[in-house]
């Protein structure tokens, strides 16, 4: 076995910018560089396909990515799914397929976005003169060529900036890279709320594209999707738009996508959402009731991963409490249930993939 | 629409109205009173519109 023992590795000119396979290692582009969770779209705890229409932003399929259709005409309907169609090196993508097309009103907008927790992005140093640039890279494929907008938004200071990318060839995976300046004016609070948001627009009415957002500034509706020039995905039945390999990293250039182990990615997702699968045969779910006193049963459910905030307790499709809803105290890392019946959850009629879920999404 | 829920003092068995969570009737979800929880934020907005949750089961 050979050993290399040196005090420093420098480039041929004596500088300190030596690259390895084209990348100069630094504190921000090594392990943990990707600020996006589930960027390879591998995790889909809620299910692999769902229909969305006019309404609030909702989490439906791949974890951490929330979908939205805001359409006052209530025309547009899309199917969002976890697809196995992906570029080389990836196994999944997020797929938008318009199932009922329509013409968005001037106030309408559609797309998919990811909210990033504020305390995760403190190293961006926003609100200071040291604010860092970030680079967003992704693979995208659509049946409709043209210019699409992508925006980044920070909620604490209500500020936004954006850019565009072009899909050059229909139905072909293309890699895109966009770099955003650091925001020296708007501070991101060091807490568990929303800190940073990446927004991929699939459609936008004229009210949402009217104001230049190519540098950071106070949010206004016209900046939401500035530059978005292609609503063909929304206006065409069965049109598709897919994305995967989403990476947001500090710096001015895109490095190779950080492929984290599946288990690591799942745990990162479970900080925000944790689903407990239905057990085969409709047996009792993984809740172990402890006897306390006559006709009273209580248990302590310890989550796999501590949650961002105390989560909402959701029942899965078809799942019902066998008697009255138990008393539930929900904490960030565990919950206490108190029931008056040993028949706790009835999953015999489950129609979904999970018995219950803990939702702490942003 | 929301419904209040009860809690129990594990020492005394006294049942009182919970100050920790609320039931969302549309899906029977239990929502904790944590201001960082987005469902609780929606509940607060609903209250601010002048709405009132149903009473807890007796």
């Amino acid at each position: 076995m050979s050993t290399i023992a040196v005090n420093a590795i420098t480039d041929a000119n004596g500088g300190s910018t030596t690259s390895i396979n084209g990348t100069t290692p630094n504190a921000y582009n090594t392990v943990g560089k990707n600020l996006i969770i589930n960027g390879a779209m591998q995790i889909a705890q809620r299910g692999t396909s769902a229909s969305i229409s006019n309404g609030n932003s909702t989490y439906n399929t791949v974890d951490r990515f929330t979908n939205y259709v805001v359409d006052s005409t209530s025309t547009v309907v899309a199917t969002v799914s976890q697809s196995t169609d992906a570029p080389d090196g990836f196994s999944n993508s997020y797929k938008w397929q318009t199932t009922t097309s329509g013409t968005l009103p001037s106030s309408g907008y559609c797309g998919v976005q990811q909210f990033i927790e504020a305390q995760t992005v403190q190293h961006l140093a926003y609100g200071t003169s040291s604010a860092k640039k970030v680079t967003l890279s992704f693979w995208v494929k659509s049946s409709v060529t043209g210019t699409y907008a992508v925006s980044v938004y920070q909620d604490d200071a209500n500020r936004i900036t954006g850019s565009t990318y072009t899909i050059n060839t229909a139905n072909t995976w293309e890699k895109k890279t966009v770099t955003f300046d650091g925001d020296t004016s708007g501070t991101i609070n060091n807490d568990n709320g929303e800190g940073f948001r990446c927004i991929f627009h699939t459609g936008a009415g004229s009210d949402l594209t009217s104001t230049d957002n190519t540098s950071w500034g106070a949010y206004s509706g016209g900046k939401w999707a500035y530059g978005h020039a292609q609503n063909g995905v929304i206006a065409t039945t069965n049109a598709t738009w897919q994305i995967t390999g989403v990476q947001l990293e500090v710096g001015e250039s895109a490095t190779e996508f950080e492929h984290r182990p599946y288990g690591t990615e799942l745990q990162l997702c479970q900080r925000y959402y944790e689903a407990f699968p239905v057990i085969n045969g409709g047996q009792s779910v993984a809740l172990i009731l402890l006897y306390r006193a006559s006709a009273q049963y209580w248990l302590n459910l310890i989550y796999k991963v501590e949650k961002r905030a105390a989560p909402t307790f959701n029942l899965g499709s078809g799942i019902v409490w066998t008697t009255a809803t138990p008393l539930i105290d929900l904490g960030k890392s565990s919950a206490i249930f108190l029931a008056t019946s040993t028949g706790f959850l009835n999953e015999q009629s489950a129609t979904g993939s999970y018995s219950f879920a803990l939702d702490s999404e942003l | 629409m929301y419904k209040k829920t009860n809690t129990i003092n594990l020492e005394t068995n006294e049942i009182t109205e919970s100050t920790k969570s609320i039931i969302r009737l549309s899906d029977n979800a239990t929502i904790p009173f944590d201001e960082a929880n987005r469902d609780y934020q929606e509940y607060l907005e609903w209250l601010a519109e002048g709405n009132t949750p149903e009473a807890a089961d007796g």
Side-chain angles (χ1 to χ4, degrees):
Chain A
M1 176 181 292
S2 300
T3 300
I4 297 176
V6 296
N7 293 321
I9 299 174
T10 61
D11 67 19
N13 297 319
S16 57
T17 56
T18 297
S19 64
I20 300 173
N21 292 331
T23 298
T24 300
N26 60 46
Y28 302 111
N29 65 12
T30 50
V31 174
K33 66 183 178 181
N34 191 0
L35 298 173
I36 296 292
I37 296 174
N38 200 26
M41 313 297 172
Q42 290 180 287
I43 313 296
Q45 294 184 83
R46 296 170 179 81
T48 56
S49 181
S51 179
I52 61 171
S53 56
N54 183 44
N56 293 328
S57 188
T58 53
Y59 293 88
N60 305 93
T61 55
V62 292
D63 278 52
R64 303 281 17 259
F65 287 89
T66 178
N67 318 277
Y68 58 91
V69 173
V70 177
D71 168 24
S72 59
T73 67
S74 296
T75 302
V76 175
V77 180
T79 297
V80 293
S81 62
Q82 181 194 44
S83 171
T84 55
D85 175 26
D88 290 346
F90 295 90
S91 55
N92 295 103
S93 65
Y94 166 97
K95 183 176 183 179
W96 174 297
Q97 181 162 25
T98 300
T99 45
T100 303
S101 60
T103 301
L104 283 175
S106 61
S107 59
Y109 52 103
C110 309
V112 59
Q113 54 191 343
Q114 181 166 132
F115 300 77
I116 303 174
E117 191 172 339
Q119 55 197 354
T120 301
V121 292
Q122 290 303 302
H123 59 297
L124 300 185
Y126 275 27
T128 76
S129 59
S130 301
K132 295 179 174 59
K133 292 185 178 185
V134 292
T135 295
L136 180 67
S137 57
F138 51 95
W139 287 88
V140 65
K141 173 182 176 181
S142 176
S143 61
V144 182
T145 60
T147 301
Y148 293 72
V150 57
S151 309
V152 291
Y153 170 78
Q154 56 144 313
D155 186 61
D156 286 321
N158 194 27
R159 290 168 65 80
I160 192 170
T161 189
S163 188
T164 59
Y165 64 91
T166 301
I167 292 180
N168 298 301
T169 306
N171 300 316
T172 303
W173 284 107
E174 301 174 17
K175 186 170 184 179
K176 307 297 178 185
T177 299
V178 179
T179 296
F180 299 100
D181 287 333
D183 184 8
T184 57
S185 297
T187 301
I188 298 174
N189 298 337
N190 185 21
D191 60 22
N192 62 348
E194 177 188 346
F196 199 89
R197 192 188 313 184
C198 295
I199 308 154
F200 297 92
H201 305 281
T202 54
S206 56
D207 293 352
L208 288 305
T209 62
S210 58
T211 307
D212 192 325
N213 73 355
T214 51
S215 62
W216 279 102
Y219 172 81
S220 69
K223 295 182 179 180
W224 176 253
Y226 179 73
H228 189 84
Q230 178 53 276
N231 282 338
V233 169
I234 305 304
T236 309
T237 298
N238 289 327
T240 59
W241 179 91
Q242 293 171 254
I243 191 169
T244 193
V246 183
Q247 179 157 280
L248 180 71
E249 59 191 306
V250 173
E252 297 182 53
S253 59
T255 63
E256 282 292 308
F257 182 80
E258 180 184 17
H259 288 279
R260 291 188 280 251
Y262 182 91
T264 301
E265 205 74 57
L266 176 60
Q267 286 189 319
L268 291 173
C269 293
Q270 287 175 330
R271 174 169 173 78
Y272 305 91
Y273 187 86
E274 181 177 343
F276 290 74
V278 169
I279 295 174
N280 187 33
Q283 301 303 307
S284 177
V285 295
L287 297 177
I288 301 172
L289 288 172
L290 302 177
Y291 178 81
R292 174 177 177 264
S294 176
Q296 290 185 350
Y297 302 85
W298 65 280
L299 65 91
N300 185 17
L301 173 67
I302 299 173
Y303 315 152
K304 297 184 184 76
V305 177
E306 179 175 297
K307 299 294 173 276
R308 178 191 64 85
T312 297
F313 184 91
N314 288 312
L315 293 178
S317 299
I319 305 290
V320 295
W321 300 109
T322 52
T323 56
T325 302
L327 313 179
I328 309 174
D329 279 348
L330 294 151
K332 291 173 69 174
S333 58
S334 66
I336 295 174
F337 298 74
L338 180 72
T340 54
S341 167
T342 54
F344 207 40
L345 277 180
N346 183 353
E347 61 179 15
Q348 300 289 342
S349 55
T351 57
S353 60
Y354 61 87
S355 301
F356 60 89
L358 303 162
D359 187 342
S360 188
E361 292 282 7
L362 285 158
Chain B
M1 295 289 289
Y2 298 86
K3 185 179 184 179
K4 293 181 179 179
T5 185
N6 289 324
T7 190
I8 189 168
N9 184 316
L10 294 176
E11 298 298 322
T12 65
N13 282 345
E14 182 185 10
I15 294 178
T16 57
E17 187 176 290
S18 174
T19 58
K20 297 181 178 179
S21 62
I22 191 88
I23 304 294
R24 184 171 57 202
L25 292 174
S26 60
D27 59 358
N28 266 339
T30 301
I31 300 169
F33 288 175
D34 182 336
E35 292 191 355
N37 181 300
R38 62 195 173 99
D39 293 318
Y40 181 58
Q41 292 167 1
E42 282 186 11
Y43 169 66
L44 292 178
E45 291 173 8
W46 183 81
L47 281 182
E49 292 169 357
N51 298 299
T52 304
E54 295 181 10
D57 292 330

